[in-house]
Amino acid sequence: MVKKLYYTKALLRTEVEKCLHCQNKPCKRACPVGCDPQFFIQKVKEHDFVSAAKSIREKNPLGEICGLVCPSKLCMRACLRSKIDHPINIPKIQATILADTPSDDFSVFEMKAEKIAVVGAGPAGIGAAVTLVKNGFSCTLFEKNEKIGGMLNLIPSSRLPLSVIDKEMKNILSMPLLQVQTNVDIKDPVRLLHEGYDYVILATGEGLVRKLNIPGEEYAISWIDFLNQSKAFQKVKKVAVIGGGNVAHDCAKVLKEIGVHSVEMFVRRPLFMMKVEKEKIAELIDNQINLHPNMAPVKIEKNNTGFVVVASRTMMKNDKLIKTKEFCSYDGFDLIIKATGGSADKKVTHHEVFYAGDCKLHASSVVEALADGIQTAHKIIDPLLNKK
Ligand SMILES: Cc1cc2nc3c(=O)[nH]c(=O)nc-3n(C[C@H](O)[C@H](O)[C@H](O)COP(=O)(O)OP(=O)(O)OC[C@H]3O[C@@H](n4cnc5c(N)ncnc54)[C@H](O)[C@@H]3O)c2cc1C
Ligand code: SF4
Ligand code: SF4
């Protein structure tokens, strides 16, 4: 267990004692999957870790992962303790409860006739698949990569250790009625309907790297290629990260973790408009990552110092961010990472094909994609269950 990601027993006790047992459970209402922090906190106070863990797992098949990576904008932002001092660190309590509590075996379900295909085994596909099999529908989960988990596998291991992903994925893979086929790239989802599936859920995420559309783009590598094999870049000395969102933040932090001396981030927006939580900006500054806000790269060149980023200064005009004619050049980079996020495949329209997760929501979070997968599965199964 990586200590700093979890509470020690003593610190857990101190943190749960801060709960005010608010009447309307704002923390529960802010949780996309409906976990009940007030309840599991109370169970921790009663030393009943088994009931605490059970209540989380009933709602959330990726409970420990979510405990480690859920953004603070959800249950924590809703926590009324913040009116007195600080919000309770609900995600960390959740992760700590689940880290040491073994999961229950799944019960045997009453089997229904319909077969459903889920394409993409990230959080949304997993949420859909788990909901389907829990309700007795057999489900095949198709994944184009070798491993299931989707973007979970790219979240830096300093925040989400691989052992935690492996543990929760092993649980998913052991579910009855669930067939998982990895290394299968589904190019034509409608064909699955002709192959015996009654419905298809597409939970394919946003794995297409967004282009910069600037000259010299070919000199840059994508954030996916970097995060997939970050250790291969340990020897680089000076890196430019293009982008100012969560993905760019993680690339910059991983570069520092692997020992890269100089990391510079080129961000189109002003600092206060960056698409990351405020504490993440502070983290970048603490890690001595050099931020260039209001700088939109317009060209990448190569010269005898290495790669050069030419950027145009941006400014706000009539509520719009525009590029100005002021250009700056930054040279001497030995690696450039384009980290402006991803986009989704083209969608097909078909009555029996449903979309779930980031391919529909765009850049959400693990728990929001998971919740959307669960809700999408219910859109299919609720009418079927009501008919029976
Ligand atoms: C670097 C990084 C850090 C992040 N950090 C956090 C964080 O701290 N907290 C947080 O809550 N969220 C974080 N996120 C966001 C979170 O990971 C995503 O919102 C979430 O994974 C989206 O889930 P999804 O199932 O919709 O898509 P994905 O996780 O992208 O999964 C889609 C899956 O579909 C598969 N697929 C695609 N096309 C096909 C096909 N044709 N056939 C078969 N399979 C296919 C893909 O291989 C993939 O496995 C982070 C994301 C990244 C990239
Ligand atoms: S909002 Fe915070 S203080 Fe109130 S019940 Fe939930 S966790 Fe406890
Ligand atoms: S799943 Fe995430 S959002 Fe929901 S209560 Fe747990 S930590 Fe909060």
Side-chain angles (χ1 to χ4, degrees):
M1 188 159 105
V2 182
K3 280 280 181 326
K4 67 178 176 155
L5 297 176
Y6 300 88
Y7 282 122
T8 59
K9 284 229 162 69
L11 286 174
L12 179 65
R13 227 170 295 130
T14 315
E15 193 68 9
V16 295
E17 283 309 326
K18 283 164 51 186
C19 181
L20 305 169
H21 292 274
C22 313
Q23 210 182 6
N24 295 323
K25 297 194 174 183
C27 44
K28 180 181 178 192
R29 285 194 284 140
C31 174
V33 289
C35 281
D36 187 346
Q38 188 186 97
F39 178 84
F40 63 71
I41 284 173
Q42 179 58 32
K43 289 294 147 193
V44 171
K45 284 190 187 174
E46 294 165 11
H47 304 284
D48 183 358
F49 281 77
V50 172
S51 302
K54 196 160 179 264
S55 85
I56 301 164
R57 289 198 177 108
E58 265 166 15
K59 296 283 180 190
N60 190 337
L62 304 177
E64 188 173 342
I65 291 174
C66 285
L68 296 174
V69 303
C70 263
S72 57
K73 65 174 183 183
L74 300 169
C75 58
M76 268 180 79
R77 187 171 295 166
C79 178
L80 291 185
R81 178 77 203 196
S82 60
K83 302 234 180 295
I84 300 176
D85 43 26
H86 303 290
I88 295 182
N89 197 333
I90 299 166
K92 197 165 174 176
I93 294 175
Q94 178 172 309
T96 308
I97 293 169
L98 296 180
D100 292 328
T101 325
S103 57
D104 308 329
D105 286 340
F106 293 106
S107 31
V108 180
F109 314 100
E110 189 202 329
M111 208 172 146
K112 315 287 188 308
E114 291 82 0
K115 274 175 67 185
I116 295 143
V118 177
V119 182
I126 288 172
V130 169
T131 308
L132 292 167
V133 299
K134 273 189 174 172
N135 284 280
F137 293 88
S138 51
C139 166
T140 310
L141 183 55
F142 295 99
E143 170 53 52
K144 74 174 175 188
N145 287 331
E146 204 176 325
K147 273 181 88 177
I148 66 167
M151 291 302 171
L152 295 176
N153 296 306
L154 294 188
I155 298 180
S157 56
S158 55
R159 290 198 289 121
L160 178 58
L162 278 178
S163 57
V164 180
I165 305 180
D166 287 348
K167 183 168 83 175
E168 294 207 319
M169 294 306 130
K170 210 169 135 204
N171 260 341
I172 307 289
L173 291 170
S174 70
M175 289 192 88
L177 302 185
L178 179 64
Q179 253 211 346
V180 179
Q181 293 192 20
T182 52
N183 293 316
V184 180
D185 186 349
I186 301 293
K187 302 244 189 261
D188 179 6
V190 177
R191 241 185 73 187
L192 294 169
L193 297 169
H194 303 300
E195 288 171 5
Y197 293 99
D198 298 283
Y199 298 92
V200 177
I201 295 177
L202 290 175
T204 46
E206 290 192 298
L208 301 177
V209 174
R210 213 174 291 149
K211 282 195 168 168
L212 301 171
N213 289 321
I214 57 172
E217 174 156 9
E218 65 279 10
Y219 294 131
I221 69 159
S222 77
W223 56 275
I224 297 192
D225 288 343
F226 170 68
L227 290 173
N228 256 325
Q229 40 166 343
S230 54
K231 294 221 167 83
F233 297 97
Q234 267 165 331
K235 294 222 166 87
V236 296
K237 292 195 169 63
K238 186 174 171 182
V239 183
V241 177
I242 299 177
N246 283 316
V247 165
H249 167 271
D250 272 347
C251 289
K253 272 204 68 194
V254 169
L255 284 161
K256 279 288 174 183
E257 279 165 24
I258 61 171
V260 175
H261 177 70
S262 170
V263 181
E264 306 198 10
M265 254 173 98
F266 292 87
V267 186
R268 209 166 47 91
R269 294 163 180 266
L271 217 51
F272 71 95
M273 280 174 70
M274 270 174 74
K275 282 190 168 174
V276 291
E277 288 154 336
K278 275 200 193 93
E279 56 269 25
K280 287 196 171 173
I281 300 177
E283 230 180 277
L284 291 171
I285 294 166
D286 284 352
N287 278 282
Q288 294 178 337
I289 288 153
N290 202 353
L291 285 164
H292 299 289
N294 285 101
M295 278 295 167
V298 290
K299 200 176 359 173
I300 302 170
E301 293 172 339
K302 206 174 170 195
N303 68 13
N304 56 358
T305 68
F307 298 113
V308 183
V309 174
V310 181
S312 149
R313 191 173 295 285
T314 62
M315 60 175 275
M316 294 297 287
K317 194 173 177 190
N318 301 331
D319 281 345
K320 273 202 186 121
L321 199 61
I322 56 154
K323 287 182 197 147
T324 65
K325 293 214 166 86
E326 187 188 336
F327 296 98
C328 302
S329 258
Y330 302 84
D331 61 7
F333 295 108
D334 44 10
L335 180 69
I336 300 193
I337 302 172
K338 49 179 168 181
T340 45
S343 60
D345 274 328
K346 270 205 198 114
K347 294 202 171 45
V348 291
T349 312
H350 193 288
H351 194 58
E352 270 89 32
V353 176
F354 292 74
Y355 285 88
D358 274 11
C359 65
K360 178 173 105 191
L361 304 173
H362 174 57
S364 68
S365 60
V366 174
V367 73
E368 288 167 298
L370 180 76
D372 195 52
I374 295 172
Q375 282 156 20
T376 306
H378 276 293
K379 276 191 203 151
I380 296 175
I381 61 182
D382 290 357
L384 294 173
L385 293 174
N386 289 337
K387 252 201 266 170
K388 293 191 173 154

